[in-house]
């Protein structure tokens, strides 16, 4: 099968507290988004990578990777789902699309390969996730615990999430309550589709808070050594 990639990178990432969007912060030798793009750009089985950037993005065009022949850049939208949809629409005909957050720079090619192997073996999509380890509590709005949630079969959703290109466009476009779509799997679920989890690496973190930058730096330096 033919694989392509969509990278939503149109967020502001204000929870990190920097004055530029988090994907353009430098960790070790390059920006977060360049770390993120590397394993996809270099992957022999990936045909095309579409990145969606914000309308007033002043950074992407200056990156070395911006002129790579595998890359297409499109304008993102207000919410993550809008950015994903605009990138999906720019994709050429493909069997599978892997959607991966720009803010997850520690993605390893071994996890990308696991998803592709699943597609080859089963002719179906899947997403990466890792098992919940902590005891989980549900509270009310006053932080009073209402319930200890059984953590068996509970997962942290990661990206990439891999689906058939057309199935994903149809699922996202067909959902009425777009705010319920927090990842691609949720769109497929809401459309009545079945999504399989592939156990992925828990170091595939999303840079959200400033302390995540240190963790990302630590992991990236380990991977490169
Ligand atoms: O903010 P959060 O970390 O959840 O964003 C996840 C990914 O979605 C990031 O890579 C971010 O750049 C992207 N995003 C986007 N368009 C938006 C909001 C977020 O492409 N409107």
């Amino acid at each position: 099968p033919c694989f392509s990639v969509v990278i939503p990178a149109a967020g502001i990432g204000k929870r990190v507290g920097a004055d530029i969007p988090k994907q353009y912060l430098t960790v070790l030798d390059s920006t977060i988004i360049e770390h993120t793009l590397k394993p996809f750009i270099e992957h022999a089985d990936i045909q095309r990578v579409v990145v969606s950037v914000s309308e007033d993005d002043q950074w992407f065009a200056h990156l070395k990777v911006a002129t790579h022949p595998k890359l297409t850049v499109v304008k993102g939208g207000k919410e993550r789902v809008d950015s994903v949809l605009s990138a999906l629409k720019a994709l050429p005909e493909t069997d599978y699309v892997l959607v991966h957050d720009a803010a997850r720079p520690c993605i390893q090619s071994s996890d990308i390969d696991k998803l592709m192997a699943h597609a080859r073996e089963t002719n179906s999509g899947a997403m990466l996730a890792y098992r919940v380890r902590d005891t989980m509590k549900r509270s009310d709005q006053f932080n009073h615990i209402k319930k200890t949630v059984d953590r068996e079969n509970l997962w942290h959703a990661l990206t990439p999430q891999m689906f058939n290109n057309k199935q994903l466009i149809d699922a996202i476009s067909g959902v009425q309550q777009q705010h319920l779509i927090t990842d691609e799997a949720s769109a497929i679920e809401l459309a009545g589709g079945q999504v399989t989890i592939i156990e992925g690496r828990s170091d595939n973190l999303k840079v959200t808070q400033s302390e995540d930058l240190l963790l990302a730096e630590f992991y990236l330096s380990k991977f490169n050594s």
Side-chain angles (χ1 to χ4, degrees), residues 132-138 145 147-152 154 156:
V132 165
R133 299 157 180 174
D134 300 314
T135 296
M136 305 300 279
K137 308 287 189 187
R138 182 179 299 285
I145 292 173
K147 197 175 184 290
T148 297
V149 182
D150 183 4
R151 75 181 156 206
E152 205 182 306
L154 213 53
H156 293 274

Side-chain angles (χ1 to χ4, degrees), residues 8-11 15 22-23 77-80 83 101-103 206:
R15 284 171 291 180
K22 60 185 175 185
Q23 57 273 30
K78 194 161 164 283
E79 304 296 335
R80 182 183 178 283
S83 303
D101 289 326
K206 187 170 71 168

Side-chain angles (χ1 to χ4, degrees), residues 36-57:
T36 305
L37 285 168
K38 194 167 186 271
F40 296 105
I41 297 263
E42 288 177 354
H43 203 295
D45 296 336
I46 291 174
Q47 267 211 325
R48 181 135 298 273
V49 178
V50 183
V51 182
S52 43
V53 302
S54 150
E55 203 162 35
D56 33 52
D57 186 284

